[in-house]
Amino acid sequence: KFTTVATVSDVSPPSVFHQPVFKATASTALKLHARVFDNITTPSTNPPLVSKIFYCQGASCDPTTSATGTSLGGGFFAFSIPTSTISVANTVVRYYLQATDGSNIINFKQADSSPLQLTVQAAGASTITGTVKDGNDTCSAGVQGALVFAGGTGFNAMTDGSCAFTLSGIFVGTYSILA
């Protein structure tokens, strides 16, 4: 009788894809999203793929407060910075994302390794509405309930049964709408 033992050595850190947020609405918890992938682990393996956000309030603060991201499926994770940190217009908030596969850790920061930075603003008065369709130009069940967000902001919505969405209170500007 033979027993085979295999050891897998994981030397590759996870990958984090995130469009940095540059504006947040005062007195509203900020929702951020990122795609996090690993060559071996997923949120349901042991060890799991885990992602976190580290944040702080102030232009020169060091982000040490953390919250674990929530897996949304398909490699997407959601993060939240609470209202208490996003409380007053003109406040600066600094943050970065971290992912670990149990063996390797990666921090998603600016190119110079400093935290990402956003400015809290009073609520905007604009609205973006639209419809999300699949590759066949239809409103299939897979598109109903899809997450839609304006890149560079914390604004997001879910599509309804007719695949329509509305992003309200957004700031005037040009955005990439992602679904």
Side-chain angles (χ1 to χ4, degrees):
K1 180 176 179 178
F2 293 96
T3 302
T4 302
V5 176
T7 302
V8 176
S9 179
D10 186 2
V11 296
S12 298
S15 297
V16 178
F17 301 93
H18 170 67
Q19 184 172 2
V21 173
F22 53 89
K23 295 179 188 176
T25 302
S27 300
T28 303
L30 176 61
K31 306 280 190 231
L32 300 100
H33 299 91
R35 290 195 87 174
V36 181
F37 291 101
D38 188 61
N39 63 326
I40 297 176
T41 63
T42 68
S44 60
T45 58
N46 187 12
L49 177 61
V50 176
S51 61
K52 291 183 177 182
I53 186 168
F54 290 81
Y55 60 91
C56 61
Q57 186 182 66
S60 60
C61 66
D62 183 28
T64 56
T65 303
S66 68
T68 301
T70 302
S71 174
L72 302 174
F76 280 99
F77 282 79
F79 307 89
S80 183
I81 298 177
T83 303
S84 58
T85 303
I86 312 287
S87 58
V88 179
N90 299 317
T91 299
V92 172
V93 175
R94 292 164 51 100
Y95 75 96
Y96 68 91
L97 303 178
Q98 182 182 82
T100 180
D101 59 12
S103 299
N104 306 286
I105 295 175
I106 189 161
N107 292 319
F108 185 91
K109 296 181 175 183
Q110 295 190 66
D112 65 0
S113 296
S114 64
L116 303 162
Q117 184 168 299
L118 62 92
T119 302
V120 178
Q121 297 182 344
S126 298
T127 300
I128 298 174
T129 60
T131 304
V132 177
K133 295 187 177 180
D134 64 16
N136 295 319
D137 200 31
T138 62
C139 177
S140 64
V143 179
Q144 297 169 10
L147 175 67
V148 179
F149 55 98
T153 76
F155 289 94
N156 63 80
M158 302 291 276
T159 57
D160 61 18
S162 63
C163 297
F165 68 91
T166 300
L167 299 170
S168 299
I170 197 162
F171 315 109
V172 172
T174 302
Y175 301 97
S176 295
I177 305 300
L178 308 164

